[in-house]
Amino acid sequence: MKRDDTRRELKYEVLKEVAELKFNDNLNDETIDRIPYKIIPGATPKFRCCVYKEREIIRQRVKLAMTKPPIPAHNVENFKITGNIIQVIPAACEGCPINRFQVTENCQKCMAKACQHACAFGAITITGRGAYIDQDKCRECGRCAEACPYHAIADLMRPCKRSCDVGAISIGGDKLAVIDESKCIACGHCAQACPFGAISDISIITEIIDAIKSDKRTVAIPAPAVEGQFGPTATVGKVITALKKLGFDDVYEVALGGDAVSYFEAKELIENKEAGKKMTTSCCPAFANLIRKHYPALIDNISSTVSPMQAVYRWVKKNDPDAYVVFIGPCMAKKDEAKYFDDDIAVMTFEELNAVFDARHIDPNECEETPSLATSYGRRFSGSGGVAASVAKAVNELGYTGDEIKLKACNGAAECKVGLAMMKAGKLPEDIIEGMACEGGCIAGPGAIELVNKLKVARMKKIKGKDGDNITEMLTKTDFMDVDMHRKFK
């Protein structure tokens, strides 16, 4: 399955080539060197200035696909090597305009001089050719652009920087983007925003393929957002069959973990409500990172319940401690979550699985349906507001009769920041914040395949709450009640 997006296509081609070579036991220095020439054949460039630059981009992408930082082998530029999940690909970073506000040809040299009067830093002068911005004085406040009646001042902030709600991206002296690990919440929005695909996530597909080919029992746990990702007819049941054809011994929906989180988080919410304490959900790892790194005073307000991914991992491990468990979803931040906790989970995105499926010529749309375990409430975790709705259902099932519990669903990192600021200031009227760093929820994650506007309507019709669904009964039926659901940090 391909998308009409050159950035995504290049990433897909690299992942597919690496997966094919790994499955065929043919991934070595010689075959790795051939990949750039297979993807970029001939001497005519396809999308950059020359084939040499294009091939270097492919080489650096191959490194990412093999769990390595995308730094050139020689590294004479002395690029900093970091352990961040989200990485800048040096060869692909175009060196976007570093001066944010620039006067365009639309400037009419008007007599009002609105831009100059709006600038509090004396950065603007009016010349015979029009307004001029002294970049040494400019503080990028944007008042000049707002004041200009002709919209003649362009805001050229880099898309990656504009997309980052936590200010983790800066521009280095070499005009390449730099990600500050101390601020980065691993949401992956910068990877989505970069028009040149110069930011991407590190992959461990080679390790996962090794596990599939070994004698280990391998278990895939796809996220609730899987419905519709691999095509219009690729239901959860068909994807489960496709994963078994790929080589996984067992497959369980993470939506079942969503049911478990709803139940245990509802119990925690009732206790906090009675104690007069506000709390937040803990399912979205980027949201949890936002609190840990930018609102540390609220760390104790994060739910102590594990995420649905960790819940299913523990449920699998309860019966088979030696199982190799792979979470598959649309979220890059899940790779970051796996680093923080005792639960040793392997993580793969839908993008990566798509390439691996194609490397093995598996189409989920053509697979048989396999039954799965989860309520429609657990499956709604993938959309904004879904966690809140599921927790509310569990609260009702627990027979809570106290004062009304109020839930606030924050859709996107910007809304999350507003909600957390209110909680920190003691002005949050609700009892719990559901935080989703991606607007629309997990289905809009940076590791997804299908466009979110295509997924929303079709998915929600299939998975909206059913009258007969009972979270408590599902957890009892699946022997989930005695699973340890408390977070444990490394």
Side-chain angles (χ1 to χ4, degrees):
M1 179 179 175
K2 295 187 177 184
R3 276 179 57 172
D4 186 19
D5 184 328
T6 304
R7 303 170 305 163
R8 296 246 181 179
E9 282 306 298
L10 285 175
K11 183 177 183 180
Y12 161 85
E13 292 291 346
V14 169
L15 290 167
K16 181 170 172 284
E17 289 295 326
V18 169
E20 280 183 346
L21 291 169
K22 191 65 177 176
F23 269 114
N24 294 328
D25 294 321
N26 198 26
L27 188 63
N28 54 53
D29 289 344
E30 184 180 345
T31 56
I32 289 169
D33 285 342
R34 290 179 192 157
I35 293 175
Y37 296 92
K38 184 174 181 181
I39 295 177
I40 311 291
T44 305
K46 296 181 179 180
F47 53 90
R48 289 297 180 89
C49 58
C50 64
V51 293
Y52 309 107
K53 184 178 182 70
E54 292 178 349
R55 287 175 185 147
E56 181 57 26
I57 292 170
I58 299 300
R59 288 187 190 96
Q60 293 179 21
R61 279 204 166 278
V62 169
K63 288 193 167 192
L64 279 172
M66 296 176 62
T67 326
K68 300 175 183 178
I71 306 299
H74 51 76
N75 197 18
V76 295
E77 300 91 344
N78 293 316
F79 292 123
K80 183 180 178 182
I81 298 175
T82 72
N84 212 28
I85 291 300
I86 311 297
Q87 295 268 334
V88 176
I89 302 170
C93 191
E94 269 293 275
C96 301
I98 199 166
N99 298 324
R100 179 172 174 183
F101 291 99
Q102 297 188 18
V103 181
T104 70
E105 292 180 356
N106 286 340
C107 180
Q108 302 297 307
K109 303 182 282 291
C110 65
M111 293 185 289
K113 302 179 182 179
C115 58
Q116 186 178 44
H117 295 311
C119 181
F121 307 103
I124 297 181
T125 55
I126 307 300
T127 71
R129 293 185 174 183
Y132 167 77
I133 300 175
D134 184 340
Q135 298 298 337
D136 291 333
K137 295 181 179 178
C138 178
R139 295 295 178 268
E140 297 189 349
C141 66
R143 291 174 188 164
C144 57
E146 293 173 5
C148 178
Y150 295 103
H151 303 290
I153 299 178
D155 184 351
L156 299 179
M157 180 189 286
R158 287 193 181 195
C160 59
K161 192 173 180 181
R162 188 192 298 276
S163 71
C164 184
D165 289 303
V166 294
I169 294 183
S170 60
I171 309 305
D174 50 12
K175 294 192 177 182
L176 298 181
V178 178
I179 299 174
D180 185 342
E181 288 183 79
S182 68
K183 296 180 180 179
C184 178
I185 61 175
C187 62
H189 296 165
C190 54
Q192 283 179 305
C194 177
F196 289 96
I199 303 178
S200 192
D201 53 324
I202 285 183
S203 173
I204 62 164
I205 61 168
T206 53
E207 176 192 307
I208 293 169
I209 292 169
D210 277 337
I212 290 172
K213 294 175 65 180
S214 73
D215 294 330
K216 294 178 183 177
R217 177 174 171 248
T218 54
V219 180
I221 54 172
V226 71
E227 187 88 56
Q229 287 284 346
F230 295 91
T233 63
T235 60
V236 175
K238 289 186 176 184
V239 173
I240 289 173
T241 306
L243 286 165
K244 289 184 176 180
K245 287 181 71 174
L246 186 62
F248 284 100
D249 297 297
D250 286 299
V251 184
Y252 301 107
E253 270 193 88
V254 171
L256 178 60
D259 288 330
V261 169
S262 299
Y263 181 84
F264 287 95
E265 213 160 66
K267 292 177 72 174
E268 191 178 355
L269 176 58
I270 292 170
E271 291 175 6
N272 283 329
K273 173 73 173 177
E274 292 174 348
K277 181 182 177 182
K278 307 288 185 180
M279 65 179 284
T280 78
T281 57
S282 59
C283 304
C284 172
F287 175 62
N289 281 342
L290 177 65
I291 297 173
R292 280 198 295 268
K293 294 186 178 184
H294 299 272
Y295 297 87
L298 299 178
I299 287 177
D300 289 341
N301 297 88
I302 304 175
S303 168
S304 63
T305 302
V306 298
S307 69
M309 172 181 83
Q310 292 171 277
V312 177
Y313 171 89
R314 293 184 182 185
W315 179 67
V316 170
K317 286 286 194 176
K318 183 183 71 167
N319 300 312
D320 185 358
D322 296 324
Y324 182 87
V325 183
V326 182
F327 171 84
I328 304 165
C331 181
M332 292 180 182
K334 282 295 183 186
K335 297 181 179 184
D336 196 59
E337 179 183 345
K339 296 193 308 182
Y340 280 106
F341 301 99
D342 284 342
D343 302 327
D344 191 18
I345 309 168
V347 176
M348 177 164 52
T349 64
F350 289 146
E351 273 189 315
E352 291 165 339
L353 178 60
N354 180 45
V356 173
F357 272 156
D358 286 356
R360 303 303 285 167
H361 309 290
I362 297 171
D363 183 355
N365 294 278
E366 297 176 357
C367 292
E368 297 290 325
E369 191 85 23
T370 298
S372 61
L373 296 168
T375 72
S376 58
Y377 290 96
R379 290 182 180 128
R380 291 172 71 187
F381 265 55
S382 57
S384 177
V387 180
S390 301
V391 171
K393 175 72 164 65
V395 166
N396 289 335
E397 289 184 17
L398 286 165
Y400 175 74
T401 56
D403 293 339
E404 179 190 1
I405 290 178
K406 298 177 182 179
L407 302 95
K408 180 180 181 65
C410 291
N411 183 21
E415 280 192 19
C416 289
K417 288 171 67 178
V418 173
L420 292 172
M422 291 174 67
M423 179 182 282
K424 185 179 178 181
K427 296 181 179 179
L428 183 74
E430 292 84 5
D431 301 295
I432 182 172
I433 292 176
E434 175 210 289
M436 291 275 192
C438 295
E439 290 187 19
C442 303
I443 56 173
I449 306 168
E450 193 53 89
L451 296 172
V452 67
N453 58 344
K454 289 185 179 181
L455 282 171
K456 272 186 178 179
V457 177
R459 288 189 76 258
M460 297 318 288
K461 280 182 180 177
K462 293 179 182 177
I463 62 175
K464 66 181 180 180
K466 298 174 184 174
D467 293 337
D469 273 354
N470 187 288
I471 294 170
T472 308
E473 288 178 4
M474 177 60 72
L475 297 179
T476 303
K477 172 185 173 183
T478 55
D479 193 25
F480 222 118
M481 287 297 192
D482 61 346
V483 173
D484 179 9
M485 293 289 288
H486 288 88
R487 285 178 174 264
K488 296 171 186 174
F489 292 91
K490 285 182 180 175

